């Protein structure tokens, strides 16, 4: 290793293989024994989510299993179910079929589609119009820089500059 922290050059790789071949078997066994005695050296440390203070609220590997995700989606549907029972909402008609699909969904893509279906049903309950989440921006260039540039502006400012 020449200390440059890059991939090994062909000569460096050949030298490493030669050094390994020249190492006596008992020394290799000692090196392996030391690595096994200190697994943190031989293996990558296990990731632990520490961003959330409460250990109970932290995501763990078991949180990502299909059955856990199905249960979470089912709990969400149960929470919004009372609101979806309105006469102007068609969720009740397809709910049984949706619940059957939920119970058999194994793939994340299938579970994502179920969430999208539920979102669509909840969206029908929305009385207010959707808000635009992105700020409006000018598409024309500024005369000082002679280039098209994306620039955010306040509502109504576009008409003022366009005149």
């Amino acid at each position: 290793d020449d200390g440059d922290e890059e991939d090994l050059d062909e000569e460096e790789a050949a030298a490493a293989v030669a050094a390994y071949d020249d190492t006596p078997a008992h020394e290799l066994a000692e090196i392996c024994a030391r690595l096994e005695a200190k697994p943190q050296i031989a293996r990558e440390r296990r990731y632990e989510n520490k961003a959330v203070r409460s250990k109970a609220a932290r995501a763990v590997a078991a949180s990502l299993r299909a059955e856990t995700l199905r249960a979470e989606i089912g709990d969400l549907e149960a929470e919004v179910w009372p609101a979806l029972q309105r006469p102007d909402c068609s969720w009740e008609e397809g709910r049984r079929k949706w619940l059957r699909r939920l119970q058999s969904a194994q793939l994340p893509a299938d579970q994502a589609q179920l969430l999208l279906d539920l979102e669509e049903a909840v969206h029908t309950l929305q009385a207010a119009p959707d808000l635009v989440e992105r700020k409006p921006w000018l598409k024309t260039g500024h005369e000082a820089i002679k280039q098209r540039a994306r620039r955010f502006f306040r509502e109504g400012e576009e008409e003022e500059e366009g005149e």
Side-chain angles (χ1 to χ4, degrees):
D1 180 24
D2 58 7
D4 59 8
E5 296 183 16
E6 296 176 3
D7 293 333
L8 291 176
D9 294 329
E10 186 176 347
E11 302 85 36
E12 292 172 319
V17 169
Y20 177 81
D21 290 340
D22 293 341
T23 305
H26 70 279
E27 286 183 34
L28 291 175
E30 288 174 15
I31 292 169
C32 289
R34 279 185 296 192
L35 290 176
E36 288 175 11
K38 296 183 179 182
Q40 69 273 15
I41 295 173
R43 292 184 209 103
E44 195 174 309
R45 290 186 62 201
R46 188 172 161 254
Y47 171 76
E48 184 180 346
N49 177 5
K50 294 182 180 177
V52 178
R53 286 184 183 254
S54 167
K55 284 189 176 185
R58 292 179 185 171
V60 294
S63 305
L64 305 176
R65 293 193 177 128
E67 49 282 351
T68 305
L69 197 51
R70 272 198 309 272
E72 292 287 331
I73 296 170
D75 291 347
L76 177 63
E77 192 276 342
E79 284 182 41
V80 298
W81 171 236
L84 294 172
Q85 291 178 336
R86 291 181 16 187
D88 59 336
C89 183
S90 62
W91 182 251
E92 193 167 357
E93 298 166 10
R95 182 174 190 248
R96 284 194 181 117
K97 182 180 175 185
W98 186 90
L99 289 171
R100 282 194 305 271
R101 285 177 39 218
L102 176 63
Q103 290 309 312
S104 63
Q106 293 294 325
L107 300 174
D110 297 335
Q111 294 171 341
Q113 185 58 53
L114 289 164
L115 279 171
L116 289 172
D117 295 345
L118 181 60
E119 179 188 23
E120 185 179 332
V122 171
H123 187 72
T124 63
L125 303 174
Q126 179 178 322
D130 280 341
L131 295 175
V132 177
E133 294 181 11
R134 294 184 179 180
K135 294 180 179 180
W137 49 280
L138 294 176
K139 298 176 186 170
T140 56
H142 192 276
E143 58 189 57
I145 60 172
K146 307 286 187 216
Q147 293 289 322
R148 290 176 55 114
R150 194 171 131 166
R151 182 176 76 78
F152 292 101
F153 62 97
R154 291 186 192 90
E155 300 244 355
E157 186 179 328
E158 182 178 43
E159 295 84 25
E160 295 170 14
E161 288 190 12
E163 296 174 357

